[in-house]
Amino acid sequence: MTADPMLVLSGPPFGHLPLLDRLAPAREAGFSAISLMPGDIWSLEAAGMSAVEIGQRIADHGLAVMEMDCTACWLPSQRTAGDDVPMAALLRSLTPDRVIEAAARIGSPSVTAVEMMGVTTSLDEAAEAFANLCDLAAEHGLKVHIEFLPFGGIPDLASAWAIVQAAGRINGGLTMDSWHFFRSGSSFELLEQIPGSRIHTIQINDAPTKAEPDLLQETMSARLIPGQGSFDLPRFIRTLDRTGTEAPISVEIFSASTRSAPVAEAIKSWAPAAHGIIRKAREIQ
């Protein structure tokens, strides 16, 4: 029998809570690591806590840091996006230099790159920007992974993988989030062709069969616990396994209950549900 894998608690669904308040509940719920947002670090540093102290508090709870999520202003066109874009000011503040430096200070091994402003760009321009981002991260020994979003300018696996390939950086890769994969209609056939070494992080969650008209609204408020929706998560896990990836697996669930319930209550079933899906995929009895 293969042991259950380490699970990561994704930070962004809990951006409304101080980082230090999430640590004990994460460990008690069965998570071994966490992902962070840049603001988690910046707010504590502004209050006088050093990155070393923050890292020690995380380690004291038996948790590792696996990911910094995210840089959202790494494409040239993102810097000039209008204020009518949702969260525009926040997204423009998540510049590569600030985010990568925060990730390096806290000891995160990787940084997520997203396109949430709805801007589109040519493959050449996106590849150049991603190569620059990867080079900056490489100075600190970090990986970078594009998380494609069906409502953004990099909407699916094919477009994200094309950028990674064109950039040609060994530390550049992909985030594989099950919600984005299924809601974008991305291809299992393409996923199976991607080298596992280029899949840097995995996020699992579930959703109802019928998508909501507003995908941004759905992804931020209506995700489900693995196994409670319609996604073929066992196939998703098995396909990823066949790529040979050793990427950490996070549970990331944005929902109304995540925001309204105490964090310990909100996440208490997440790790058991995720382990159950992974065992089913790997036929562990």
Side-chain angles (χ1 to χ4, degrees):
M1 178 179 291
T2 303
D4 285 331
M6 175 189 76
L7 287 179
V8 182
L9 177 64
S10 179
F14 302 97
H16 59 292
L17 295 174
L19 169 61
L20 300 183
D21 292 350
R22 300 177 225 149
L23 302 180
R27 188 62 191 177
E28 290 165 4
F31 292 93
S32 301
I34 56 174
S35 73
L36 301 175
M37 295 166 292
D40 292 331
I41 307 306
W42 296 334
S43 61
L44 289 173
E45 289 177 331
M49 185 176 288
S50 72
V52 172
E53 292 174 300
I54 299 167
Q56 188 58 56
R57 292 287 292 273
I58 295 170
D60 287 345
H61 284 84
L63 297 168
V65 176
M66 295 306 295
E67 178 186 345
M68 180 66 76
D69 189 352
C70 59
T71 179
C73 192
W74 54 280
L75 290 163
S77 49
Q78 290 171 328
R79 295 193 288 268
T80 58
D83 290 333
D84 57 327
V85 172
M87 302 182 290
L90 170 62
L91 296 174
R92 283 198 297 263
S93 74
L94 300 175
T95 57
D97 53 347
R98 296 185 72 217
V99 173
I100 287 171
E101 288 169 7
R105 287 197 301 275
I106 201 64
S108 172
S110 70
V111 171
T112 305
V114 304
E115 200 307 287
M116 288 187 66
M117 297 188 188
V119 301
T120 56
T121 186
S122 70
L123 175 58
D124 287 345
E125 185 178 52
E128 181 179 1
F130 189 62
N132 291 337
L133 178 60
C134 290
D135 290 345
L136 184 61
E139 294 176 8
H140 300 277
L142 306 183
K143 296 178 180 179
V144 185
H145 28 95
I146 296 177
E147 182 170 3
F148 57 90
L149 314 172
F151 44 80
I154 305 174
D156 52 26
L157 176 58
S159 56
W161 179 229
I163 295 169
V164 172
Q165 288 181 295
R169 296 300 190 267
I170 193 170
N171 64 328
L174 299 165
T175 296
M176 292 304 310
D177 179 300
S178 58
W179 190 94
H180 300 309
F181 179 83
F182 285 102
R183 284 297 192 240
S184 67
S186 290
S187 161
F188 276 108
E189 290 71 25
L190 174 58
L191 176 57
E192 195 157 4
Q193 295 171 21
I194 295 172
S197 61
R198 310 311 290 275
I199 298 171
H200 293 334
T201 186
I202 299 163
Q203 298 171 351
I204 59 172
N205 41 67
D206 218 329
T209 301
K210 185 177 180 180
E212 295 185 4
D214 186 336
L215 288 180
L216 176 58
Q217 174 66 23
E218 179 183 313
T219 198
M220 298 302 293
S221 65
R223 298 191 190 194
L224 300 176
I225 294 169
Q228 293 188 355
S230 65
F231 292 163
D232 191 348
L233 293 176
R235 184 182 180 188
F236 183 68
I237 295 294
R238 285 194 297 269
T239 305
L240 286 164
D241 284 350
R242 286 196 292 272
T243 71
T245 183
E246 297 180 355
I249 300 176
S250 301
V251 183
E252 183 179 70
I253 302 168
F254 292 91
S255 70
S257 62
T258 299
R259 290 191 296 271
S260 62
V263 61
E265 179 181 333
I267 68 174
K268 64 183 179 182
S269 63
W270 290 15
H275 282 310
I277 289 292
I278 295 167
R279 290 187 200 122
K280 181 178 180 180
R282 296 173 178 171
E283 300 180 341
I284 299 172
Q285 303 301 319

